[in-house]
């Protein structure tokens, strides 16, 4: 049995609040304000990497389909452009895939 520090009425063991004036009898640990919570940017960055990787893969696939002779249209046979396509197509497909996988690695391990 004790007395309430606010109103002086009787309190009982185990009370956390005065039964008469609702004053707190148990002191709560002070919480220190440490500024706004730091939110991890990693998932967002990883998602951006995956999106850009997918976009590059799609560009590579479009290149393959529309220029690679996979459609019912004539293929551009200019040797210079053909060399560009032969260089750009695997670069886009492999690079995009690597970027996409990198995005997942960042998501999982970052
Ligand atoms: Zn009280």
């Amino acid at each position: 049995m004790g007395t309430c520090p606010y109103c002086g009425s009787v309190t009982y063991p185990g009370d956390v609040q005065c039964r008469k004036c609702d004053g707190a009898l148990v002191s709560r640990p002070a919480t220190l304000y440490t500024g706004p919570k730091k939110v991890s940017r990693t998932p967002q960055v990883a998602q951006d990497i995956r999106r850009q990787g997918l976009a590059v893969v799609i560009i590579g696939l479009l290149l393959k389909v529309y220029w690679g002779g996979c459609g019912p249209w004539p293929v551009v046979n200019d040797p210079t452009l053909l060399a560009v396509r032969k260089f750009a197509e695997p670069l886009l497909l492999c690079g995009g895939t690597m970027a996409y996988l990198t995005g997942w690695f960042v998501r999982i391990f970052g």
Side-chain angles (χ1 to χ4, degrees), residues 8 14 17 19 32-33 38 46-47 49 57 100 105:
Q17 211 174 21
R19 294 171 189 216
L32 205 65
Y33 180 68
K38 282 186 180 66
Q47 195 182 39
I49 294 173
V57 166
Y100 185 76
F105 274 109

Side-chain angles (χ1 to χ4, degrees), residues 4-9 18-23:
C4 172
Y6 308 105
C7 68
S9 70
C18 175
R19 294 171 189 216
K20 197 176 171 190
C21 73
D22 289 342

